[in-house]
Structure formats: C-alpha cells, structure tokens
Amino acid sequence: MAEESSDNVLERLDEHLRAHPRLQDRLYRQLLMTLHTQGVVSIERIYDEARLRAGLAPTPTLDDPNQPAGKRLDEDDRVGVEQVAREYASRHLGVADIDDLANLVVKREEARELGDIANLDTISFRLLADHVNRFCSIPLGATRLDPSEVLGIRVELIRRLINDQLEYIGVAKNFLHVRDFENLMGRIVGSDSGIGRIGGKSGGMFLAHRILEHSADSDDERCRIPESYYLRSDVINDFLELNRLSAYRNQKYKSVEDIRAEYPLIKGVFRNSDFPVEIVQSLRGMLEEVGTHPLIVRSSSLLEDRFGTAFYGKYASVFVTNQGELEQRLQILLGAIAEVFASIMAPDPILYRREHNLIDYDEDMAVLIQKVVGRQVGRYFAPAFAGVASSRNEYPFSARIRRRDGLCRLVMGLGTRAVDRVGSDYPRMVPLGQPTLRPESNAGEIRSHAQRGIDVLDLQSRSLRSVTLADLLSQHDDFPLLDGIVSVCRDGELYRPTGTMVREPADQLCITFDKLLAESDLADRLRKMLKRLETAYGVPVEIEFAHDGTDLYLLQCRCQTYPASASEPISADKLVIPTNIPPDRVVFTAHRYVRSALIEGLEYLIYVDPLKYHEVSSSQRRVAIGRVVGRLNRALADCDFALVGPGRWGSKDILLGVPVSYTDINHARLLIEVARARGGYVPEVSFGTHFFQDLVEAGIHYLPLYPDEPANCFSDAFFSGSANSLAELLPDDADFADEIRVIHIPEVADQCHLRVVMNGEVGQAIAYLE
C-alpha cells in the first residue's frame, strides 16, 4: 500500500459515514473485520484496548463456555471501540481499503433489500427492475460478496423472470449472476405493473450463452447470441382478457378432431385481435431501435425446452422481413406474435402435454423476438450457414465415429432445413469427432445427397422462400464463406476451391461444406461447446446455431430427452442377428443406418403402400391418408404396432412422404421408411430434425428399408397379400383400403407376433414372425 495521509483515510471514512447514515454500525463492523482479516490487529485486541481506556479489565480468557466472558460494552464503550478502530485504520489502511469496505457494506445492504423484494408474493416488474438496477449500479469493488449471500437472490430472480423448474434453477444458479439480469430486464417487454417469465426457449439460450462465456478459454472460443427482446409470459393473459378470448384455454380438454378442426379459426381470430396499448408502444419503440433488420418471432412457452419435455417444434416461429413503413411493420409484428400465442391451442402441443401429464398446467406463452442472423445478398437475406448440433450421435455410420463426439446437421442459408423435413434435399450430416467422414463413397453419391434448396428471406416479396444456388448467386457473387460451403464439379469429381473467390458458374457447384469442415475449426468448436454444455446441464444437449460469415451465433439450447427405457441396456446376445430363420417367416431385413434395439411382440403393421401412394394424384387425398393414419394411431394406442410407409414420414412435401404430425404417430413402437426404385421415395436419417427428435423422445424406433437392393429382403407377399383390417378398425375409412393396409399379425400368421432385432454394431436388422 502506498503511503497515504492518515487524515485522508479518516476523511474518506467519514464521507462514507455521512453518505450512509443508516449503515454506520455496519460500516464500523466491516472496518473491524477488515483490520482483523488483513492481520493489522485482532478484534479481541481492539476490544481490550477500548475496555482499558474505559477503565475496565481486559476480557478474561475462559475455558468454560458456560461462564460469561465479561461485562457487555455500553454505548459509550462502543464509541471507544470505534475510536480505536479509526486509529488503527489511519495508520495501516489506505483510501482504497476504505472505499472497498464501504462498497461491500452497501452491496450487502442492497442485496438484502433486493432479496426481500424478490421474495414478496406479489411484486411488480418495475419495482423489481428498479432494485436490480440499484444493485448493479454499485461498483464491483475489490472484495465481492460471498456467493452464499447472493445465491438466494439468484434463485428468486431465475424463478420469477426465467423458469420455475427446479432442475433448471439448479443449473442456472451456478452461472447466472445478479448483474446478468440488468441487461436482460432492459430488453423485457411487458407492463410495468405485471410480472412474468421469458420462458423456456429464451431461458435456455440465455443460460447456455452464460455457461459458454464462463468456460471459454479464449476470445476465439466465444460465441454470440442475436440481439433479442423478450415478451413476458403474462402479456398473453392481458391479450386474452382484452379480447375476451380466455375461453379458448379450454381447447386442451377437447377431442383431437375438434382441436384440429378449430385451430385454423383460432389463428384467424388471434391474428385480428388487439394488444394492450402499453405493449404496442413498447414494440413500436423496439422496431424504431432495430430499424428494418429482419426478425424472427419465436415461441418461448413456459413448458418449452425444459428438462424432460423439449416440445420440439410444437409451437410456431414466424419470420418477419420487417420492411416498409414503421406502422406497417408494427402490424405485421403484432400478427406474428398473435400467431405464436395461438399455437398453444394447436393439436400437437396439446396432445404432447396430455402424454406428459402437463395438460392441467396453466401454461403461458412468452415470445422471443430476435434479429435474424445473416447478411443481405441482393434481394435476399440469410446466414452463410446454420444448423443443429447434438452432444450425442445416435446414428454413427462408421466404426471410427464415437457417439459422445456428437453430430451436426449443417445447411446453407436459414436453419429451417436443418430442423424440418423438407423436399428431396439433404443437409450435411457431420460427425463432430470425424468431420470429414461421410457415408457416400463417390462424387456421384455426394452430389445426389447434397442440399439443393436454400431457405432465405426475400426482402422484396417480404416472404420466406426456398431458392436455388444459381438464383442466390445471381443476386451477388460474394456470398459469405462461399468457398468453404461449395465444391467445384469437374470431370465427374468434386474439388475444393483453391482460393477465397469462387468464379465457376452455379451449375458447376455443389453444396458440400468440404473445405469448411477440413480447413476450419468449426466442428471442433461445436464439439467443445456441446461438451461444456452437457457437463453443466448433466444431460446430453442440443443447440441450434447460425453463422453470418464472421461470427458464430447460438440460437437455442435444450436438453435431449430420452425415454426411460433408453437407459436400460440390452444384452448383446439378444441383439445377435439370427441366421436360421425360415425364409417364409422373414418379413424384412435392413443394412443401412441401423441403431441397436429389440422390439418384440408387435401385433399390428400399418402399411402405406409406396406404389399406391405414388399413384395418388390428389393432394387432398394424400393429406386425408395422413389423417387416417392418425386415427389408426389413436385406435391402436393400447396395442404394439409399427408404421411402414414411403419416403419421409412427416415431410413438408407430401409427394415425398405421408403428411403426418406428432399426434398421428406418437403411439407407434417402430417407424419404417421405405425407398422403392419406383416413385423416388428416399428416406433420410434426419437425426436432429424436430420430427426425428419426437421419435427419440417418445421411444419410437426408426429404420429405413431399401427393398429393391439385392442384399435386402422385403416380403411383398406379406405386406400386400395379407388380410386388411382397416375396415374393422375404422369403418368410415374403408375406402382408403387400397393405399393403407392394416395387418393384424396374429390373425394372418397363426397367432405369431413380429420380432425385430436391430444390431447397430454390425449394421444389420431383421424382422421375423415368431
């Protein structure tokens, strides 16, 4: 400590005493503790000196804890203690020490008041925000409050503003500090008099970002989150009350058919309803701040992205190009928020809640409004690339791939193609421990399994569009990181661009990400991020991300959820592929993308004939086929059954698969996608999509079949020649018997059931009657 005048030290002490008259006792108490802990003088010696000056004997040292230590000091004596402490402070402490101890006392007092406020049963957002701001306005100081002094405040702020789930709080309290809430609360939209939470999706992103900030070893390992605004969960209550829509909360108790039929009407009603004036004013101010940058309005339900219930893709997320005059942009934004509100009443989330015993939970919908990550390229706006990454890889296609290294699903442009099953398209599936490995063996296969459509925001038409690479590059040939994203097709082979500029025409380019994965640290960076998050959460996690060409952005983080049965190991002897099954009892075999599983006792097969489905020319009938599958799914809810159908179940392109949602398949034990040589139905092991994560969470096993490959067996006689029980189960749908066959296995196979053995280690599966 540099030498300082004793008068300066005492003068600074008196300044603090005058500035905080209510804290004088605590300031002197902290002064005593500072002198003691710095080894200047013990508290006992200060008291003894004060007693001697008061004409009292020093405090006796007694070994008997039942004897009093001596006469208590009266008010005059305490003044003596303070005087002795001041003398020692003037000789041994500096001005900085006095400032630090005073800062600590003030922080402790503000922390106590903030804790009292946060613990009140009823508290307004404005009052809570004011106390958080007051606490955060105090300088950090050299000495921090002990974590035990603020842990309760962290917990209460998390519970009131983010998430009340104990598992989430147990993780978040270790990473979210009181000061983290200051910036968060400045971006929360809601009435000053109300209180609500920012919901699961917002909370997951916010926590994950803080975890990664804490664990980053260097600036190169840091990631960003988009500029975000948080519409609190209580706003939906004000919205429903204002428009007399509260009765719609009882939709969750109706039948699935009624919910499905009424949902379009509800969306229309919500989109044309009014918002409270205070909320409209806040959103107008937000739009003035962000300008015309494109936005995405995302659901952030209180039930979403929680431990055990992820609600993968159950609620709406709406892109807003945010172009035009302010008032026009405001009305479009309000409509998007209303659509997200309405998605609480959609069939999928309601049935999901029923299955997870959450139907009676008073769910509220918060909304996350974010700037879309990306850059403008001519009339289009999109990130360079985006994707979804999981800390565990459940479908390794090579023995060199370790499950714990994780998997990434990577696409050029907006990440919608990474989480949705769309078109006859393929993302790049990246095992993060071996990023250059891929299942294709030659350039022809790589090209046929490459991404073709690129999702972008069209700023002119003000819509979300899918465009070709040629269309995108025609707007501007300087697309960010293009040399890392594409390969050049030449003489039947694929080559990485040698420089940063790609001059070849678009018809000679193929989206492969080969150069990016081989020459950058993206895969390793994602793997480390996932590992840190999994360690913090204590369970496997999944993230969504985007890259604008300069920075990597974290968009979402949620726990990967698995059924309880997934933790039960299957003995190796049960997964041995039997070789002595009579050919007439084998129903099918498979040799691609096989995950280890044993499925016994299957009683029914629901089979959508790929060739018959291909012949259906009406989109309405294809949609109707999906609805019939849904009714069968509910009719057989108490039975063990498998779904077998063409191409991609749940694809947004009904030409490539049966249009079903979670409510239509959730009771199946096995879902099979069939690729026939005719019809062009090509399965995709789309691990990482919302649809696929639904399968994993519900414990539905997945298997692709390629019947026309010579090594595989597929019993057409069994699938197409067995008696059809559709009319018995659903008499009103008997006219769909050509496309949909329901095979009651014991009835057609002498009381046998179907046994499916899937061995991921050897990459083989067999289904046979036993």
Side-chain angles (χ1 to χ4, degrees):
M1 180 191 74
E3 292 187 7
E4 297 183 65
S5 166
S6 60
D7 290 340
N8 290 341
V9 172
L10 295 179
E11 182 178 342
R12 181 58 61 87
L13 177 60
D14 289 336
E15 287 177 9
H16 288 299
L17 291 168
R18 289 192 297 271
H20 306 286
R22 294 188 303 112
L23 304 179
Q24 287 195 11
D25 287 346
R26 294 173 195 178
L27 285 166
Y28 274 117
R29 188 184 308 149
Q30 186 61 45
L31 177 61
L32 291 173
M33 294 177 65
T34 300
L35 292 168
H36 183 95
T37 56
Q38 289 194 9
V40 174
V41 59
S42 69
I43 291 177
E44 291 82 0
R45 182 171 175 180
I46 291 176
Y47 272 80
D48 283 345
E49 289 190 23
R51 292 175 68 87
L52 288 173
R53 293 185 186 186
L56 300 173
T59 303
T61 302
L62 299 175
D63 294 328
D64 186 357
N66 297 314
Q67 292 292 329
K71 176 179 175 293
R72 285 171 53 85
L73 297 178
D74 57 25
E75 186 64 30
D76 292 337
D77 296 330
R78 282 198 289 273
V79 172
V81 170
E82 293 170 0
Q83 183 58 41
V84 173
R86 289 172 65 90
E87 293 172 5
Y88 275 103
S90 69
R91 296 195 299 268
H92 298 281
L93 299 183
V95 169
D97 296 314
I98 299 299
D99 287 342
D100 186 52
L101 70 88
N103 184 67
L104 186 62
V105 169
V106 173
K107 278 193 297 188
R108 186 170 286 130
E109 178 64 13
E110 288 292 342
R112 184 191 64 78
E113 291 189 11
L114 176 56
D116 291 343
I117 290 293
N119 277 292
L120 291 176
D121 290 336
T122 56
I123 181 67
S124 71
F125 176 81
R126 177 46 52 205
L127 183 58
L128 185 59
D130 286 345
H131 277 77
V132 168
N133 291 337
R134 278 176 51 183
F135 178 87
C136 295
S137 68
I138 303 170
L140 282 172
T143 305
R144 308 291 178 87
L145 290 175
D146 188 86
S148 63
E149 297 182 78
V150 292
L151 203 56
I153 301 172
R154 294 184 194 176
V155 167
E156 197 58 32
L157 290 175
I158 293 166
R159 184 182 71 82
R160 285 194 176 273
L161 297 173
I162 301 180
N163 194 317
D164 65 347
Q165 189 182 30
L166 292 178
E167 292 89 342
Y168 179 91
I169 293 173
V171 176
K173 69 182 182 183
N174 299 314
F175 296 95
L176 299 184
H177 297 161
V178 176
R179 293 178 186 273
D180 293 328
F181 286 87
E182 182 179 28
N183 182 58
L184 175 68
M185 297 181 82
R187 292 182 174 272
I188 290 178
V189 177
S191 68
D192 284 349
S193 59
I195 194 72
R197 304 187 182 99
I198 64 173
K201 191 172 292 180
S202 297
M205 178 193 69
F206 187 63
L207 172 58
H209 183 243
R210 296 310 303 155
I211 291 171
L212 294 175
E213 286 287 294
H214 279 287
S215 63
D217 296 328
S218 66
D219 289 341
D220 291 339
E221 294 187 356
R222 297 186 186 279
C223 69
R224 305 178 66 181
I225 56 175
E227 186 175 331
S228 304
Y229 298 84
Y230 311 91
L231 195 70
R232 288 196 323 252
S233 59
D234 58 312
V235 174
I236 189 174
N237 295 319
D238 297 336
F239 173 84
L240 295 175
E241 183 66 26
L242 176 65
N243 296 283
R244 303 295 189 266
L245 299 175
S246 298
Y248 279 124
R249 284 194 176 277
N250 293 323
Q251 287 294 112
K252 61 187 180 182
Y253 296 118
K254 295 184 177 182
S255 69
V256 173
E257 288 75 14
D258 286 344
I259 294 168
R260 194 190 300 274
E262 295 172 14
Y263 180 53
L265 170 65
I266 293 174
K267 284 202 296 184
V269 171
F270 273 52
R271 285 191 67 92
N272 291 285
S273 295
D274 297 323
F275 280 78
V277 173
E278 186 177 357
I279 302 303
V280 175
Q281 290 174 340
S282 296
L283 292 173
R284 182 182 288 111
M286 183 205 76
L287 288 178
E288 289 174 341
E289 185 175 332
V290 302
T292 57
H293 190 102
L295 302 172
I296 181 170
V297 181
R298 311 181 72 192
S299 66
S300 188
S301 160
L302 298 188
L303 292 176
E304 200 169 0
D305 288 4
R306 289 160 66 98
F307 284 75
T309 55
F311 282 81
Y312 296 106
K314 297 292 180 291
Y315 300 108
S317 290
V318 183
F319 284 101
V320 176
T321 57
N322 195 29
Q323 305 298 297
E325 298 297 324
L326 175 61
E327 291 306 311
Q328 182 184 22
R329 292 188 283 125
L330 177 61
Q331 291 306 312
I332 293 173
L333 175 63
L334 292 173
I337 294 171
E339 188 169 330
V340 172
F341 282 170
S343 65
I344 284 184
M345 287 77 172
D348 270 11
I350 289 177
L351 187 58
Y352 184 93
R353 290 174 62 187
R354 287 179 183 175
E355 292 197 342
H356 290 82
N357 198 29
L358 295 170
I359 198 64
D360 297 317
Y361 185 91
D362 189 16
E363 181 186 24
D364 286 329
M365 175 63 77
V367 176
L368 172 61
I369 305 172
Q370 293 180 313
K371 283 186 172 182
V372 177
V373 174
R375 297 183 185 178
Q376 185 171 349
V377 181
R379 64 185 291 173
Y380 301 134
F381 188 98
F385 61 84
V388 57
S390 306
S391 63
R392 300 297 175 93
N393 180 358
E394 295 301 324
Y395 282 87
F397 53 81
S398 166
R400 296 167 57 188
I401 298 171
R402 299 184 301 181
R403 283 179 167 82
R404 66 177 181 270
D405 283 338
L407 178 72
C408 171
R409 186 175 166 87
L410 197 61
V411 296
M412 184 179 183
L414 294 170
T416 42
R417 286 179 174 263
V419 296
D420 294 331
R421 309 193 89 191
V422 293
S424 55
D425 233 359
Y426 294 85
R428 176 70 187 267
M429 302 291 281
V430 184
L432 295 176
Q434 298 284 343
T436 59
L437 278 184
R438 55 189 312 157
E440 299 87 2
S441 59
N442 57 59
E445 288 187 1
I446 292 174
R447 294 185 67 178
S448 64
H449 290 81
Q451 179 186 352
R452 293 173 179 81
I454 303 163
D455 286 351
V456 298
L457 294 177
D458 187 333
L459 302 183
Q460 287 187 18
S461 66
R462 301 180 185 179
S463 62
L464 173 66
R465 285 186 57 192
S466 177
V467 300
T468 65
L469 183 60
D471 189 4
L472 181 62
L473 297 185
S474 70
Q475 297 293 310
H476 201 292
D477 60 2
D478 189 22
F479 189 85
L481 299 180
L482 182 64
D483 65 300
I485 295 172
V486 301
S487 292
V488 179
C489 309
R490 189 183 306 122
D491 300 326
E493 297 296 329
L494 291 170
Y495 300 92
R496 301 175 197 163
T498 55
T500 59
M501 299 300 294
V502 179
R503 299 301 185 189
E504 289 78 7
D507 61 2
Q508 294 181 23
L509 302 178
C510 179
I511 300 172
T512 64
F513 294 99
D514 283 351
K515 184 176 177 181
L516 181 72
L517 294 170
E519 300 182 15
S520 79
D521 65 346
L522 175 66
D524 188 55
R525 189 175 178 186
L526 289 171
R527 185 178 60 82
K528 288 179 178 178
M529 288 170 58
L530 289 163
K531 191 58 61 181
R532 287 166 177 158
L533 291 169
E534 181 176 313
T535 299
Y537 274 82
V539 294
V541 298
E542 177 183 273
I543 62 172
E544 292 181 24
F545 62 89
H547 200 292
D548 65 0
T550 302
D551 295 307
L552 179 68
Y553 287 80
L554 176 72
L555 306 181
Q556 187 170 355
C557 178
R558 55 181 165 249
C559 301
Q560 287 186 273
T561 51
Y562 298 91
S565 59
S567 61
E568 301 171 3
I570 304 173
S571 60
D573 60 310
K574 289 186 176 182
L575 294 179
V576 173
I577 302 297
T579 57
N580 58 348
I581 306 299
D584 62 341
R585 302 185 77 82
V586 177
V587 176
F588 63 77
T589 60
H591 298 85
R592 288 203 215 175
Y593 300 108
V594 177
R595 183 187 183 193
S596 293
L598 178 64
I599 308 165
E600 299 179 291
L602 286 174
E603 184 180 358
Y604 283 91
L605 284 177
I606 300 174
Y607 176 56
V608 180
D609 189 320
L611 300 181
K612 296 290 186 181
Y613 187 79
H614 178 65
E615 294 171 358
V616 175
S617 59
S618 165
S619 297
Q620 289 79 6
R621 187 165 181 84
R622 292 193 179 212
V623 171
I625 289 171
R627 299 291 79 79
V628 174
V629 169
R631 289 192 282 276
L632 286 169
N633 173 64
R634 292 185 283 279
L636 298 176
D638 296 326
C639 304
D640 290 327
F641 68 93
L643 281 170
V644 185
R648 305 181 184 186
W649 288 96
S651 171
K652 289 189 174 182
D653 187 342
I654 62 175
L655 298 178
L656 296 173
V658 182
V660 293
S661 62
Y662 176 78
T663 59
D664 300 316
I665 64 165
N666 61 303
H667 295 302
R669 289 190 62 195
L670 174 65
L671 185 141
I672 295 174
E673 297 187 333
V674 181
R676 303 300 312 233
R678 289 172 55 201
Y681 298 111
V682 183
E684 181 208 359
V685 185
S686 42
F687 193 79
T689 64
H690 291 150
F691 182 86
F692 207 90
Q693 290 301 95
D694 278 339
L695 302 185
V696 174
E697 183 175 339
I700 302 171
H701 299 286
Y702 168 83
L703 189 65
L705 296 183
Y706 301 83
D708 301 314
E709 292 184 354
N712 291 329
C713 167
F714 187 85
S715 178
D716 282 305
F718 182 82
F719 281 102
S720 301
S722 298
N724 191 348
S725 300
L726 175 64
E728 298 173 21
L729 291 169
L730 301 177
D732 293 341
D733 294 319
D735 61 330
F736 286 90
D738 280 348
E739 298 95 345
I740 304 174
R741 304 188 62 80
V742 181
I743 302 171
H744 186 214
I745 299 169
E747 182 180 332
V748 302
D750 298 325
Q751 301 307 308
C752 289
H753 288 73
L754 190 67
R755 188 173 194 260
V756 184
V757 183
M758 300 164 57
N759 190 319
E761 296 300 319
V762 298
Q764 296 182 37
I766 185 171
Y768 59 94
L769 300 169
E770 70 166 6

